[in-house]
Amino acid sequence: MKVISRILAATTAIGIATGAFAQNVTMKFGHVGNPGSLFEATVDNFAACVNDSMGDKVEVQTFGSSQLGKDKELLQKLKLGQVDFALPSSVMSSVDDTFGIFEMPYIISDRDHMRRVQAELMDVFQSAANDNGYQIVGLAENGFRNITNNTRPINVPADLEGIKLRTPNGVWRLKMFQEYGANPTPMAFSDVFTALQTGVIDGQENPYAQIASAKFQEVQKYLSITEHVYTPAYILMSKKKFDSLDADIQAGLTDCANKTQDFTYEKAAELETSLLKVIEDAGVEVNTADKAAFIEASAPIYQQFADEVEGGQAMIDKVLGLGNPG
């Protein structure tokens, strides 16, 4: 009887331990950001918030520098359950044309404008994500994008004529730079440094945080401040995975995502000043482009979006209207 009692006690202990362990879900967050990037800071902040507030239920582990895959691979791995979170940005316009609104040049003027767009249109973006099997847990950012290259300073769109320019995998960015006269080449972010170094491409366009953390200043001669597109980033899960979580975990993840957005906006504004200096100090020649010329040259892209995307013109009007809070 003593032996049986011990076996029962041991079995119960194992059951309790297993039950307690099951409460702690380990979740992987993959992203393409390099060390020192805004993506890394964003993901680390989100993970720290979740682990501090829900450590008894959820642990988020972070994997940067495309360790778990490039953007398109991460989107696929979310659906396969191989990754729990990703932080896509421009690539979302290839998931659904709705996200292409953020590919329209100069449509977002600043972060306050972005917050107003988020407040008014988040249901539209969430619906588009859900329709494609994803759940937006929260928004962060990639930032305002600028052009670097090894050919010449870019002051007006005509200066891009013939320049081989890397773009993200998004149809509207491709169309935009084709309209400007460049020779755009979609390429995964992790491949860009080597392509620049070897002359496969002449240039690329990214926010300062991505340029500096990827050390593009070491292989580029010119930085032209165009701020042609503001790209949000999306703290993204598969809808299936998100829906499978308990309501309190869903709420906790959403709360941390909202807090991370506040952190990211502050961090991004700070990096815009400090990292421009890093790029300049590396010997890159910096010029401020003629934004009015770029805005004028962007009219055909807006027209294409209005013509090709259902409800495109209404969305353009709505977003532009939110640019002026008065």
Side-chain angles (χ1 to χ4, degrees):
M1 289 298 292
K2 286 184 179 179
V3 173
I4 293 172
S5 297
R6 285 173 185 166
I7 291 172
L8 288 172
T11 305
T12 304
I14 291 168
I16 291 169
T18 304
F21 180 75
Q23 290 300 306
N24 189 286
V25 180
T26 300
M27 305 180 81
K28 294 180 179 180
F29 199 141
H31 66 95
V32 302
N34 290 318
S37 66
L38 183 62
F39 272 21
E40 180 189 62
T42 296
V43 172
D44 287 354
N45 181 272
F46 175 75
C49 177
V50 173
N51 295 344
D52 287 347
S53 62
M54 295 193 291
D56 59 330
K57 294 180 180 178
V58 179
E59 180 192 358
V60 175
Q61 298 176 343
T62 65
F63 301 85
S65 302
S66 304
Q67 291 177 66
L68 301 185
K70 300 166 186 177
D71 274 328
K72 283 203 166 183
E73 293 167 336
L74 286 169
L75 287 175
Q76 185 64 22
K77 285 184 175 183
L78 286 179
K79 287 189 174 181
L80 294 173
Q82 297 169 347
V83 175
D84 301 292
F85 297 98
L87 193 67
S89 180
S90 302
V91 73
M92 287 298 284
S93 64
S94 69
V95 171
D96 193 288
D97 271 333
T98 302
F99 298 102
I101 191 68
F102 296 115
E103 299 293 295
M104 297 299 101
Y106 302 98
I107 200 165
I108 298 294
S109 54
D110 54 38
R111 292 180 181 93
D112 286 338
H113 181 194
M114 182 63 214
R115 283 197 183 276
R116 291 192 292 274
V117 171
Q118 182 179 349
E120 291 282 334
L121 295 174
M122 193 62 199
D123 286 351
V124 174
F125 302 128
Q126 190 67 272
S127 178
N130 289 168
D131 287 347
N132 288 279
Y134 300 106
Q135 175 76 20
I136 301 170
V137 185
L139 293 185
E141 77 163 52
N142 200 348
F144 290 94
R145 306 177 78 93
N146 302 285
I147 298 169
T148 67
N149 82 101
N150 285 324
T151 306
R152 65 180 78 92
I154 307 301
N155 289 298
V156 295
D159 293 329
L160 284 165
E161 187 68 39
I163 287 180
K164 291 178 289 186
L165 194 78
R166 177 268 175 178
T167 63
N169 286 294
V171 63
W172 293 102
R173 193 78 53 83
L174 198 68
K175 288 182 178 182
M176 180 177 78
F177 279 106
Q178 285 171 338
E179 190 66 41
Y180 291 163
N183 180 13
T185 304
M187 183 182 295
F189 183 76
S190 57
D191 298 332
V192 176
F193 183 92
T194 301
L196 291 170
Q197 190 177 42
T198 56
V200 171
I201 53 174
D202 303 312
Q204 61 82 52
E205 45 87 57
N206 257 300
Y208 298 145
Q210 295 286 58
I211 293 169
S213 63
K215 303 190 185 304
F216 293 159
Q217 66 271 18
E218 296 179 1
V219 289
Q220 294 279 260
K221 295 177 182 176
Y222 306 104
L223 165 66
S224 301
I225 301 173
T226 50
E227 296 182 336
H228 50 277
V229 165
Y230 172 86
T231 42
Y234 307 82
I235 297 176
L236 199 71
M237 295 183 70
S238 80
K239 188 175 189 304
K240 181 179 178 182
K241 177 72 175 186
F242 185 81
D243 288 348
S244 74
L245 300 172
D246 291 343
D248 61 330
I249 293 179
Q250 291 179 350
L253 294 176
T254 303
D255 181 57
C256 279
N258 291 337
K259 290 174 179 174
T260 291
Q261 182 175 12
D262 294 338
F263 162 83
T264 300
Y265 280 11
E266 290 176 17
K267 183 72 173 176
E270 168 197 315
L271 290 177
E272 280 174 352
T273 301
S274 63
L275 293 183
L276 177 56
K277 187 174 188 307
V278 167
I279 295 165
E280 285 181 311
D281 288 350
V284 177
E285 182 182 320
V286 179
N287 71 286
T288 300
D290 181 350
K291 291 183 185 177
F294 274 91
I295 291 169
E296 184 178 352
S298 301
I301 304 301
Y302 278 74
Q303 190 59 55
Q304 271 188 277
F305 190 82
D307 291 343
E308 295 177 20
V309 177
E310 186 177 352
Q313 187 62 59
M315 193 181 297
I316 287 169
D317 294 343
K318 181 73 170 177
V319 172
L320 287 175
L322 291 167
N324 182 1

